[in-house]
């Protein structure tokens, strides 16, 4: 993991594995921008922490307090788009009822709002379905730009994607990769971190 326990970026061994499958990864071009946007959201960097000198030339550390303006804007977008008035509906009432029950049971909207916040801040976000076989339940995981790897795209958007996250298997941290491929079976690759 990175500096913070909650910071996760696609590790190099996963990138190599994806390249070995024949994919060209746009991560190297975008990652510096995503890292900068992440630091803005967390109010980190030279603007917030720097060194200055006093009137007699002594060097001292300065930490600028912040109301995290970038994060405030992203949170506002999240609350405007997904809030307690948000409704998901379909023409068939039975389907609407099922969706409402599923979203209440899984807490989807609360998680969805955080995904929208991170998406606005980092430029990319996604939800991906997975099946919790033990619970017999369909779940949705959220991913932000740090964990989304476009694999195939054109001017209309991304058509194939990998989602990478930290998971724990038998008490051990692993990197989990979920592939969403056209006409192919998605899979999961687990490797020690």
């Amino acid at each position: 993991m990175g500096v913070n326990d909650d910071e996760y970026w696609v590790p190099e061994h996963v990138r190599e594995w994806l390249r070995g499958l024949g994919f060209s990864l746009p991560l190297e071009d975008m990652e510096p921008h995503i890292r900068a946007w992440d630091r803005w959201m967390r109010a980190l960097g030279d603007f917030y922490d720097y060194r200055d000198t006093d009137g007699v030339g002594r060097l001292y550390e300065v930490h600028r307090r912040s109301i995290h303006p970038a994060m405030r804007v992203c949170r506002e977008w999240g609350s405007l788009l997904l809030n307690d008035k948000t409704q998901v509906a379909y023409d068939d009432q039975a389907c609407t009822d099922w969706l409402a029950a599923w979203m209440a049971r899984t807490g989807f909207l609360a998680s969805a709002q955080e995904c929208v916040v991170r998406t606005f801040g980092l430029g990319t976000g996604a939800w991906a379905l997975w099946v919790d076989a033990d619970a017999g339940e369909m779940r949705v995981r959220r991913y932000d730009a740090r964990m989304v790897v476009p694999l195939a795209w054109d001017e209309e958007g991304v058509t194939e994607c990998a989602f990478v996250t930290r998971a724990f298997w038998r008490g051990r941290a692993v990197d989990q990769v979920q592939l969403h491929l056209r006409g192919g079976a998605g899979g999961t690759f687990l490797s020690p971190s």
Side-chain angles (χ1 to χ4, degrees), residues 38-152:
D38 182 59
R39 292 178 62 79
W40 290 344
M41 287 179 65
R42 294 187 295 139
L44 299 174
D46 294 342
F47 178 78
Y48 297 100
D49 294 298
Y50 59 95
R51 293 180 177 182
D52 203 355
T53 54
D54 63 15
V56 293
R58 289 180 294 207
L59 188 65
Y60 63 96
E61 302 284 326
V62 176
H63 172 72
R64 187 171 290 169
R65 293 183 186 182
S66 173
I67 59 170
H68 298 99
M71 181 59 89
R72 290 175 66 94
V73 169
C74 297
R75 286 197 193 286
E76 186 63 25
W77 273 109
S79 68
L80 288 171
L81 294 175
L82 293 171
N83 56 47
D84 57 349
K85 295 179 183 176
T86 300
Q87 295 180 10
V88 177
Y90 187 70
D91 293 339
D92 179 4
Q93 187 60 43
C95 183
T96 298
D97 294 343
W98 184 89
L99 281 169
W102 178 82
M103 290 192 321
R105 187 173 58 254
T106 62
F108 175 76
L109 281 180
S111 169
Q113 188 180 74
E114 184 59 28
C115 185
V116 170
V117 168
R118 300 287 302 166
T119 300
F120 269 91
L122 301 180
T124 299
W127 290 295
L129 294 176
W130 65 285
V131 176
D132 182 345
D134 293 334
E137 178 81 9
M138 178 186 64
R139 305 268 185 200
V140 176
R141 284 202 173 126
R142 64 182 158 86
Y143 299 90
D144 65 39
R146 301 168 305 153
M147 302 173 252
V148 175
V149 184
L151 300 174

Side-chain angles (χ1 to χ4, degrees), residues 10-27:
V10 176
E12 187 55 38
H13 71 273
V14 173
R15 295 171 196 225
E16 284 300 320
W17 182 75
L18 290 169
R19 285 186 200 103
L21 295 176
F23 294 108
S24 175
L25 309 180
L27 293 177

